[in-house]
Amino acid sequence: TQLEVEQAELSAARQELQPDPQLSALTASLAVIRPEVETVQGERSLLTGRRESLLEGQGKLAAGICPFFQEQCRNIAAHGEPGDLFSSRIAELDLQAARLDEQLAQLVITLGTAEAAEKELGSRAIRLQEADRQATALAERRRRNRERQKGLEILSQQQDEAAQLVARRK
């Protein structure tokens, strides 16, 4: 009876530990999300580098030095205020960077969820292995109990035969 109760509890625990399709789907999405996060981070880094270059060029141009030839620039007077040459481009890069930051934030949240799902599946797999070991131990206990039962039946039969022998001798 105790073994049957333990078997029922073990079966219920194993049923609860079965992988959830949603967890499996989230874990499978890790292969797509991780490279995408890296790509977006790379794009964001490139934008940051381009923005820094523009800011550096803007600073040099404001001083009247050509950012390419490192000499006094003669075209500044023709184009007006040197700071205006870069402002629109910097604003455009800032806008692109903001969009990438939003996308990256969403991807990081999704990545965190998928990694948590992966950990949960790993945990469930470990607990399922433990449940399998318990099931094996339970099967072994049942086998030993059956052997004992057979041994008891044999002993009981031998005891009955001995009792009959004693009764005949009396």
Side-chain angles (χ1 to χ4, degrees):
T1 304
Q2 181 183 5
L3 289 175
E4 289 174 9
V5 170
E6 286 180 25
Q7 180 67 36
E9 290 173 356
L10 190 59
S11 295
R14 289 185 60 142
Q15 191 65 21
E16 290 176 15
L17 293 174
Q18 292 302 316
D20 186 9
Q22 288 178 327
L23 289 177
S24 298
L26 277 173
T27 301
S29 70
L30 276 174
V32 175
I33 294 172
R34 283 186 178 139
E36 192 172 346
V37 167
E38 291 173 5
T39 301
V40 171
Q41 285 174 337
E43 289 175 13
R44 178 64 170 100
S45 295
L46 286 174
L47 284 179
T48 301
R50 288 169 57 192
R51 186 179 192 283
E52 292 299 320
S53 295
L54 285 175
L55 288 174
E56 181 183 335
Q58 183 180 22
K60 287 181 180 180
L61 210 58
I65 298 174
C66 178
F68 300 106
F69 300 112
Q70 304 298 323
E71 60 186 32
Q72 196 67 25
C73 188
R74 297 181 198 133
N75 292 332
I76 294 176
H79 292 291
E81 184 65 33
D84 291 339
L85 297 174
F86 293 93
S87 298
S88 63
R89 185 67 181 136
I90 291 173
E92 181 183 323
L93 288 177
D94 287 342
L95 183 63
Q96 288 177 355
R99 276 190 244 131
L100 284 176
D101 287 342
E102 287 178 24
Q103 184 181 2
L104 187 60
Q106 289 297 324
L107 285 172
V108 166
I109 290 170
T110 306
L111 181 65
T113 305
E115 286 176 343
E118 182 181 46
K119 286 179 184 176
E120 177 64 23
L121 279 180
S123 171
R124 284 185 181 192
I126 290 170
R127 292 187 307 209
L128 271 172
Q129 288 175 351
E130 180 60 31
D132 288 342
R133 280 191 288 256
Q134 289 175 356
T136 303
L138 196 59
E140 178 62 24
R141 285 174 54 194
R142 278 195 171 156
R143 184 190 63 76
R144 284 188 304 214
N145 280 348
R146 276 190 243 115
E147 287 176 4
R148 285 186 198 132
Q149 180 69 27
K150 288 179 184 177
L152 284 174
E153 288 173 0
I154 291 171
L155 285 176
S156 177
Q157 184 180 8
Q158 288 175 351
Q159 187 179 15
D160 287 345
E161 289 172 0
Q164 288 174 359
L165 182 63
V166 167
R168 272 189 265 152
R169 283 188 182 170
K170 279 186 182 179

